[in-house]
C-alpha cells in the first residue's frame, strides 16, 4: 500500500514519552504519513503527514508553522486544568479524536479515551461514560459538541465532573 512504509529511513530511538517519539518523527520523518483515516472503512482520506505535528514555533528553516488544532486545544486545556489531571475524551474514531488526544498530551494531561455515547443505548452508555470518569478520577471531559449537548439534556447528575469542566 502507498500509505505503509515497511522500511523506515531511520529507526525511532527509544523515548520516555509518546510526545518524544512524535517530536522525533516530526523532525526526521516529516513527509511520512502519521495517520490515515478510512472514510467508509475502505477508502482513505488524505493522510496527515508528520509535518502536521511539528511544534508551533515553526520548523528549523525559520518558517512559521501553520495553525494546528491540537495546539489550540492544548492552550485551551492548559487554561482550565493542571498538569497531570486526567481528562476524559469521548470522540468517534477520526481526526477529531486524534487532535483532542494529542492536544491533551501537549497540555500535560493524562488522556482517558472512552467511546462516545450510543444514541440507541443512551442509558447504558451514559452509565459507562460516568463510570469511566469516576474510575479514572477525571478532572474534566472533552467531547464532540453533540455529546456535550446530550450530557446536558440528559441531566447526567451521576457524572463526577463539574459542568464547567466539560468542554
Amino acid at each position: 500500500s502507498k500509505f505503509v512504509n515497511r522500511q523506515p529511513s531511520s529507526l525511532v530511538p527509544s523515548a520516555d514519552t509518546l510526545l518524544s517519539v512524535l517530536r522525533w518523527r516530526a523532525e526526521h520523518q516529516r513527509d511520512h504519513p502519521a495517520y490515515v483515516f478510512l472514510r467508509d472503512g475502505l477508502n482513505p482520506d488524505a493522510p496527515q503527514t508528520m509535518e502536521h505535528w511539528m511544534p508551533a514555533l515553526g520548523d528549523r528553516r525559520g518558517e512559521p508553522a501553520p495553525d494546528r488544532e491540537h495546539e489550540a486545544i492544548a492552550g485551551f486545556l492548559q487554561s482550565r486544568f493542571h498538569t497531570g489531571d486526567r481528562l476524559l475524551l469521548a470522540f468517534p474514531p477520526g481526526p477529531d479524536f486524534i487532535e483532542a488526544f494529542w492536544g491533551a498530551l501537549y497540555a500535560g494531561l493524562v488522556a482517558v479515551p472512552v467511546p462516545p455515547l450510543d444514541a440507541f443505548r443512551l442509558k447504558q452508555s451514559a452509565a459507562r461514560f460516568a463510570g469511566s470518569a469516576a474510575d479514572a478520577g477525571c478532572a474534566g471531559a472533552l467531547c464532540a459538541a453533540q455529546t456535550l449537548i446530550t450530557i446536558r439534556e440528559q441531566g447526567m447528575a451521576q457524572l463526577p465532573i463539574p459542568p464547567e469542566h466539560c468542554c
Side-chain angles (χ1 to χ4, degrees), residues 110-141:
V110 176
V112 180
V114 297
L117 297 176
D118 181 346
F120 296 106
R121 294 180 286 178
L122 191 53
K123 193 174 257 187
Q124 294 91 341
S125 66
R128 181 192 65 226
F129 188 89
S132 296
D135 290 347
C138 290

Side-chain angles (χ1 to χ4, degrees), residues 11-164:
L11 297 175
V12 178
S14 63
D16 293 334
T17 67
L18 282 173
L19 285 178
S20 300
V21 172
L22 181 69
R23 288 183 180 120
W24 185 91
R25 288 198 63 213
E27 184 175 337
H28 295 91
Q29 300 174 335
R30 62 188 309 130
D31 295 329
H32 291 224
Y35 301 99
V36 177
F37 297 101
L38 303 178
R39 274 190 311 272
D40 54 8
L42 299 172
N43 298 308
D45 280 339
Q48 287 183 337
T49 63
M50 290 308 302
E51 185 172 18
H52 175 82
W53 301 100
M54 288 295 289
L57 300 176
D59 64 21
R60 287 182 285 163
R61 296 174 298 219
E63 298 171 5
D67 291 335
R68 293 179 176 91
E69 186 68 18
H70 63 278
E71 292 169 346
I73 291 169
F76 173 80
L77 294 173
Q78 286 173 331
S79 71
R80 286 165 173 74
F81 300 101
H82 300 287
T83 300
D85 280 350
R86 291 176 180 95
L87 183 70
L88 196 72
L89 301 178
F91 290 89
D96 291 341
F97 169 76
I98 298 298
E99 295 285 0
F101 179 78
W102 288 111
L105 294 186
Y106 271 111
L109 305 177
V110 176
V112 180
V114 297
L117 297 176
D118 181 346
F120 296 106
R121 294 180 286 178
L122 191 53
K123 193 174 257 187
Q124 294 91 341
S125 66
R128 181 192 65 226
F129 188 89
S132 296
D135 290 347
C138 290
L142 186 61
C143 52
Q146 186 57 50
T147 302
L148 185 57
I149 291 168
T150 303
I151 289 170
R152 290 184 175 150
E153 285 176 351
Q154 296 297 314
M156 292 183 185
Q158 75 271 28
L159 189 63
I161 298 172
E164 65 274 11

